[in-house]
Amino acid sequence: GANTKIANVTTSAGEEVYALKAIVSGLTNGTDYTFGIRAEDSAGTPNEDTNTTTRTATPQSSITLYPGLRDAADTWATLVGTEATALDTNDGDTSYIAASARNLYLRVAFDNLVGRYTNISSVNVQGYYRNTTGNEGVNQGLYINGTHYTNAAGTQTPGTSYQLLSGTAWTTNPATALAWTDNDINALISSVLSVRGGSTWSGTMNCTQLWLTVNFGVAAAPPRETGGTTGIACNTCHQF
């Protein structure tokens, strides 16, 4: 089939260019696409493709974003491990963050999406928690522009061993009641509230892993960044 130029890069003699990125949209699911690079001389005459890769366009149904640094409004005071990565893996008490009282908020910013995303159908906060007494609970909410939004799942109470808790997915942005945008996602902060189970708080609530699941509609797939330093790199509306 015909070749379509998707990006240009201009370089002076002796320079090296890595990881050129371009967005490719309008791809058809199930169709094979071949990506390659060509060099042109000063007259604009291209050489033949010498570095190509072929991928099949397939939709991406969801993406997972992990926490980075804690927000200034975070009040879960006990942190074990490196702040930027402590909640990235389910490693038990090797690295975790803990609340020692009720009405404390675990607030951390999530990693940003890479590229431009459309057709976001819902978002959901999930994590692994354990309660040292088995009585206390959490509500896995969101913190948007200074406001806490409680999750419809209500209070969830884990056992004394780490347990996966999944909140109810938000199909719209609770701050605007509008469909999610990629800018909305990039501004999201977790707001996990510690909740007392009995008449008094006892023990601690530990969280060893926390993440945000971003789900996409079936009708369209989000862009996905691929490529690296091989000389072929692209952002597409499909996952390769």
Side-chain angles (χ1 to χ4, degrees):
N3 294 317
T4 302
K5 183 182 292 186
I6 61 173
N8 287 324
V9 59
T10 302
T11 174
S12 301
E15 290 183 348
E16 293 181 298
V17 176
Y18 297 98
L20 172 66
K21 301 175 184 178
I23 294 176
V24 183
S25 60
L27 304 184
T28 301
N29 292 339
T31 300
D32 289 343
Y33 294 88
T34 299
F35 296 86
I37 56 173
R38 288 182 177 180
E40 294 182 354
D41 59 22
S42 59
T45 304
N47 67 347
E48 293 299 317
D49 294 331
T50 59
N51 188 357
T52 63
T53 183
T54 300
R55 297 290 186 268
T56 302
T58 55
Q60 186 180 13
S61 60
S62 67
I63 192 168
T64 300
L65 302 177
Y66 291 100
L69 301 180
R70 287 185 289 176
D71 184 75
D74 175 69
T75 52
W76 285 38
T78 302
L79 175 71
V80 175
T82 303
E83 182 175 348
T85 59
L87 301 182
D88 287 0
T89 58
N90 178 18
D91 60 359
D93 285 341
T94 300
S95 61
Y96 66 93
I97 192 168
S100 57
R102 66 172 180 163
N103 296 336
L104 300 180
Y105 291 93
L106 170 53
R107 288 177 174 159
V108 290
F110 294 103
D111 295 336
N112 286 348
L113 294 167
V114 178
R116 303 294 297 178
Y117 286 73
T118 60
N119 202 33
I120 299 171
S121 61
S122 65
V123 302
N124 191 10
V125 179
Q126 299 171 280
Y128 279 95
Y129 302 84
R130 81 177 185 91
N131 181 345
T132 57
T133 64
N135 296 322
E136 321 305 343
V138 294
N139 181 283
Q140 298 185 103
L142 294 174
Y143 189 59
I144 304 173
N145 295 327
T147 299
H148 167 77
Y149 293 91
T150 301
N151 192 276
T155 300
Q156 298 174 290
T157 304
T160 55
S161 297
Y162 280 105
Q163 177 181 343
L164 172 62
L165 300 181
S166 180
T168 299
W170 280 274
T171 56
T172 59
N173 184 336
T176 63
L178 300 175
W180 291 102
T181 68
D182 48 4
N183 288 331
D184 292 340
I185 302 302
N186 290 342
L188 280 182
I189 295 174
S190 72
S191 191
V192 180
L193 173 65
S194 60
V195 181
R196 187 175 66 191
S199 58
T200 59
W201 178 278
S202 60
T204 63
M205 177 66 68
N206 294 4
C207 176
T208 186
Q209 186 179 23
L210 185 72
W211 67 92
L212 181 76
T213 300
V214 182
N215 300 302
F216 302 96
V218 176
R224 175 74 173 181
E225 183 174 318
T226 63
T229 59
T230 61
I232 299 175
C234 64
N235 284 347
T236 80
C237 285
H238 296 73
Q239 180 180 15
F240 291 145

